[in-house]
Amino acid sequence: MRLLYFAWVKEKTGIAAEEIDIPARVATIADLIAWLKTRGPEFANAFAAPEVVRAAIDHAHVRHDAPVRDAREIAFFPPVTGG
Amino acid sequence: MIRIQQEDFDIGAELAQLTSGHQDIGAVVTFTGQVRGTAEGRPLTAMTIEHYPGMTERELEAIEREANARFDLKKSLIVHRYGTLKPGDNIVLVITASAHRDAAFDAAKFLMDYLKGWAPFWKRETGPDGDRWVGAEDRDDAATSGWEKPAKDAAE
């Protein structure tokens, strides 16, 4: 699956996009965040306060309890500040 | 209609193009968002706007559909810029056109409020003492506000 990071989440992880296979036990966005945090200090820092990180699956906003198994693209980003 | 672009827009030209040939329009409201020269008391020299190509279009189209469902609009337009902007530059344009003024006024406010809550744009401010993501330090507010989406558009 494809993971994307935006704004300060991208700056903290140090990457904008990656293709990745996630472990079978990762069922939800919250699980995915918990797993990403184990990948290194950059990820632990980016997701240190997971409640402020928003997620989207295939271009739609989702909550952290959303299932990820069928996702093609998952994005993580801060609260939006457009307008 | 929605557009996401780096280049500036011409409000008069956009308005003329949107309403030309429509004799059922009696009211047109335009809103323009611009870059302020200060941010929380600090001077600002530039603002860089990042967005999520693909999702941004989808969100703006959903926002416009929702406005047209709620208000009796004849025409509507959202233009949002991205890239690096300077104080005084245009950021966003919303135009709403309706038979009578209430729908146009209400829809313009709705579009802007909804866009600010949901469209995936992020602003980074540059000042003399460095860069800062807008909202990045407002963690408590960010965690609790604007999370729930109206049921109609809520993600499953």
Side-chain angles (χ1 to χ4, degrees):
Chain A
M1 110 189 3
R2 184 171 168 81
L3 299 187
L4 301 179
Y5 309 94
F6 290 94
W8 58 253
V9 179
K10 174 177 67 182
E11 286 185 350
K12 290 181 177 182
T13 61
I15 50 175
E18 60 181 335
E19 290 289 337
I20 199 161
D21 292 321
I22 59 172
R25 62 186 155 77
V26 171
T28 65
I29 292 289
D31 293 344
L32 180 55
I33 289 174
W35 177 71
L36 288 170
K37 286 171 77 171
T38 67
R39 294 174 71 207
E42 297 84 0
F43 283 87
N45 181 33
F47 293 100
E51 69 278 7
V52 302
V53 177
R54 304 298 196 242
I57 294 181
D58 297 332
H59 293 170
H61 291 284
V62 295
R63 298 163 61 103
H64 285 197
D65 59 1
V68 298
R69 295 308 329 173
D70 298 329
R72 290 186 309 276
E73 181 173 293
I74 298 180
F76 293 103
F77 45 79
V80 302
T81 55
Chain B
M1 193 166 50
I2 65 114
R3 283 202 331 262
I4 298 144
Q5 62 189 43
Q6 274 194 281
E7 59 270 29
D8 196 13
F9 47 78
D10 178 332
I11 300 163
E14 298 288 356
L15 192 156
Q17 191 179 359
L18 190 71
T19 60
S20 115
H22 283 263
Q23 299 195 337
D24 53 352
I25 291 171
V28 182
V29 168
T30 77
F31 171 85
T32 309
Q34 298 189 317
V35 181
R36 278 184 297 271
T38 58
E40 291 169 18
R42 306 176 325 145
L44 183 148
T45 53
M47 171 179 282
T48 303
I49 300 174
E50 179 177 335
H51 79 109
Y52 181 177
M55 182 171 174
T56 315
E57 289 83 352
R58 178 185 159 138
E59 280 296 311
L60 292 185
E61 283 163 3
I63 289 164
E64 187 177 48
R65 266 199 310 279
E66 182 65 24
N68 278 273
R70 292 186 186 211
F71 306 101
D72 188 9
L73 295 178
K74 304 298 183 192
K75 298 290 284 184
S76 57
L77 173 70
I78 306 171
V79 182
H80 203 298
R81 298 180 67 191
Y82 64 94
T84 298
L85 308 177
K86 298 268 181 268
D89 282 354
N90 294 322
I91 302 172
V92 59
L93 173 67
V94 162
I95 305 182
T96 51
S98 55
H100 303 283
R101 70 183 182 281
D102 281 354
F105 274 126
D106 293 348
K109 178 160 180 15
F110 172 83
L111 282 170
M112 280 307 304
D113 288 348
Y114 214 95
L115 181 157
K116 279 183 168 283
W118 295 105
F121 291 99
W122 301 276
K123 290 175 180 156
R124 185 185 175 92
E125 297 168 341
T126 303
D129 50 349
D131 281 21
R132 160 180 189 278
W133 288 100
V134 174
E137 286 150 27
D138 311 329
R139 291 196 154 191
D140 290 343
D141 289 343
T144 52
S145 67
W147 184 225
E148 292 300 329
K149 203 168 188 183
K152 206 168 169 179
D153 285 311
E156 280 112 39

